[in-house]
């Protein structure tokens, strides 16, 4: 049988076959070879007929499309980059670094602006305009559910994770997208820490730091009714970025990538060169200044890596 690992706790794994989730362990050969099993892995498994609880045994992990080590997840199609304009305030370089990481790993990014009720419509439009035409953008209010249907349509049928600073409402959005959660039956509830497909715990903003409190403690996937697998992950604020050349950074910004052939020099890095189409687009407002500033910051970081 083939299924997806939706949760792992204490050496136990929950595997979803498209209809139900079963719990089990990795076969001894996987343990001996020290093969890691990530949440999101597609696995071949068998039901242990000798076990009265019909637990499963994982035989092998199917080759991954992609994977991240922090947090340990695999086979992502899409990453929803979540931020708010207030409580906490957005840090655009952090947002843009997440988007660049998606470009590098072949993951489709989506922008989700939360807490839309805390800012004016002009502020909301200005923030959305930075990314419109580059990535899908949804503006939501997790408390009222406004904008959730639009986000649900964007991610429908995909393997999706939410990323961004703590406190921006990722767990609230997860609960809204999940739609409903059945209350556990005390007579059938297992002795394990938590059952899969539970609602995500939500938190608040720390008054001392102005940052959110982490509420998600481990990686878990919710299987939604429309075929979407929604990853709920703790502390997902960045993607692993490998060592790269300075010229490689420009390929991680789609709006710059589209114009690279119009620069005078083929190896133009869009900083000091004359007749640069990207710099002209920034001056004319066709590329947002904050995106260009993030590009400059990432380029400087790569230069520092090269010197180490």
């Amino acid at each position: 049988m083939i299924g997806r690992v939706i949760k792992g706790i204490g050496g136990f794994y929950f595997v979803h076959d498209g209809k139900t989730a079963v719990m089990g362990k990795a076969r001894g050969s996987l343990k001996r070879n020290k093969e890691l099993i990530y949440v999101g892995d597609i696995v071949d498994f068998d039901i242990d007929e000798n076990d009265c609880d019909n637990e499963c045994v994982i035989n092998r992990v199917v080759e991954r499309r992609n994977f991240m080590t922090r947090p340990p997840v695999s086979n992502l199609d899409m990453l929803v980059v979540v931020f708010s304009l207030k409580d906490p305030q957005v840090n655009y370089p952090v947002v843009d670094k997440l988007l660049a990481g998606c470009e590098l790993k072949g993951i489709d990014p989506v922008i989700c602006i939360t807490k839309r009720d805390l800012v004016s419509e002009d502020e909301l439009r200005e923030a959305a305009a930075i990314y419109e035409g580059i990535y899908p953008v949804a503006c939501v209010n997790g408390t009222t559910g406004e904008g959730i249907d639009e986000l649900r349509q964007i991610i429908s049928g995909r393997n999706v994770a939410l990323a961004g600073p703590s406190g921006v409402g990722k767990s609230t959005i997860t609960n809204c997208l999940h739609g409903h959660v059945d209350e556990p039956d005390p007579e059938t509830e297992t002795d394990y820490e938590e059952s899969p497909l539970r609602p995500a715990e939500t938190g608040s903003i720390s008054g001392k730091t102005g940052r959110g409190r982490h509420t998600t403690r481990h990686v878990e996937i919710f299987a939604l009714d429309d075929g979407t697998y929604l990853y709920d992950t703790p502390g997902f604020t960045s993607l692993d970025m490998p060592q790269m050349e300075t010229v490689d950074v420009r390929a991680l910004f789609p709006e710059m990538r589209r114009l690279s052939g119009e620069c005078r020099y083929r190896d133009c890095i869009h900083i000091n060169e004359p007749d640069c189409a990207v710099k002209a687009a920034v001056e004319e407002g066709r590329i947002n200044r904050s995106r260009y500033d993030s590009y400059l910051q990432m380029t400087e970081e790569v230069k520092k890596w090269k010197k180490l």
Side-chain angles (χ1 to χ4, degrees):
M1 301 174 68
I2 298 294
R4 183 182 302 273
V5 175
I6 61 172
K7 184 177 178 180
I9 271 189
F12 289 92
Y13 300 94
F14 291 90
V15 182
H16 196 268
D17 64 3
K19 295 181 180 178
T20 60
V22 293
M23 187 181 65
K25 284 190 170 184
R27 190 168 291 282
S29 57
L30 289 176
K31 296 178 182 177
R32 286 192 295 273
N33 294 331
K34 297 182 179 180
E35 292 188 41
L36 298 177
I37 297 178
Y38 287 179
V39 172
D41 277 345
I42 304 299
V43 296
D44 175 84
F45 71 99
D46 292 319
I47 299 296
D48 187 351
E49 296 180 355
N50 296 320
D51 192 298
C52 60
D53 293 325
N54 285 328
E55 293 184 358
C56 73
V57 178
I58 297 173
N59 301 311
R60 66 182 180 92
V61 177
V62 176
E63 184 176 359
R64 301 175 178 113
R65 178 176 178 267
N66 53 46
F67 69 92
M68 271 67 72
T69 56
R70 296 179 301 173
V73 297
S74 67
N75 297 316
L76 271 179
D77 297 328
M78 183 174 279
L79 188 71
V80 180
V81 179
V82 184
F83 65 88
S84 58
L85 300 179
K86 186 177 181 181
D87 295 339
Q89 187 173 356
V90 60
N91 184 327
Y92 284 116
V94 170
V95 170
D96 292 330
K97 192 174 291 187
L98 273 168
L99 296 171
C102 289
E103 294 284 343
L104 196 63
K105 292 180 177 291
I107 300 170
D108 294 335
V110 176
I111 292 293
C112 179
I113 305 174
T114 62
K115 303 185 181 182
R116 57 181 299 168
D117 56 312
L118 299 184
V119 296
S120 68
E121 285 297 318
D122 287 343
E123 289 174 301
L124 194 65
R125 279 194 296 268
E126 184 178 346
I130 296 173
Y131 300 102
E132 285 173 343
I134 308 171
Y135 302 116
V137 178
C139 300
V140 308
N141 181 336
T143 303
T144 65
E146 185 179 7
I148 292 295
D149 284 344
E150 180 184 359
L151 179 60
R152 185 180 285 111
Q153 290 175 7
I154 293 171
I155 68 174
S156 179
R158 311 292 296 277
N159 304 322
V160 184
L162 274 60
S166 55
V168 296
K170 298 188 297 294
S171 293
T172 300
I173 292 170
T174 296
N175 288 338
C176 288
L177 290 169
H178 194 245
H180 69 277
V181 180
D182 295 329
E183 292 297 324
D185 185 343
E187 296 183 2
T188 60
E189 192 172 13
T190 69
D191 294 330
Y192 298 98
E193 180 179 322
E194 292 170 353
S195 60
L197 307 186
R198 61 167 177 76
E201 182 183 351
T202 60
S204 59
I205 301 296
S206 167
K208 183 178 290 186
T209 65
R211 296 191 295 268
R213 297 185 176 94
H214 291 293
T215 53
T216 304
R217 298 181 180 87
H218 52 259
V219 180
E220 182 172 359
I221 294 178
F222 300 112
L224 306 188
D225 293 339
D226 62 356
T228 303
Y229 281 100
L230 181 61
Y231 294 54
D232 190 24
T233 63
F236 202 159
T237 57
S238 64
L239 291 175
D240 296 331
M241 297 287 281
Q243 296 277 343
M244 64 178 71
E245 299 295 328
T246 307
V247 294
D248 295 332
V249 180
R250 57 187 180 173
L252 305 181
F253 288 74
E255 66 270 48
M256 299 181 191
R257 194 166 62 227
R258 296 166 191 162
L259 295 174
S260 58
E262 299 179 21
C263 297
R264 179 195 289 188
Y265 302 108
R266 292 184 61 185
D267 59 350
C268 181
I269 60 171
H270 319 312
I271 298 177
N272 296 317
E273 299 86 347
D275 298 327
C276 171
V278 168
K279 288 193 295 182
V282 174
E283 292 300 321
E284 295 167 7
R286 291 182 287 121
I287 290 178
N288 191 277
R289 174 69 64 175
S290 76
R291 286 281 287 170
Y292 183 67
D293 288 344
S294 293
Y295 167 74
L296 294 179
Q297 183 172 317
M298 284 190 62
T299 302
E300 285 300 312
E301 289 178 4
V302 170
K303 288 179 181 178
K304 290 178 182 178
W305 294 341
K306 298 287 290 181
K307 292 178 181 179
L308 295 178

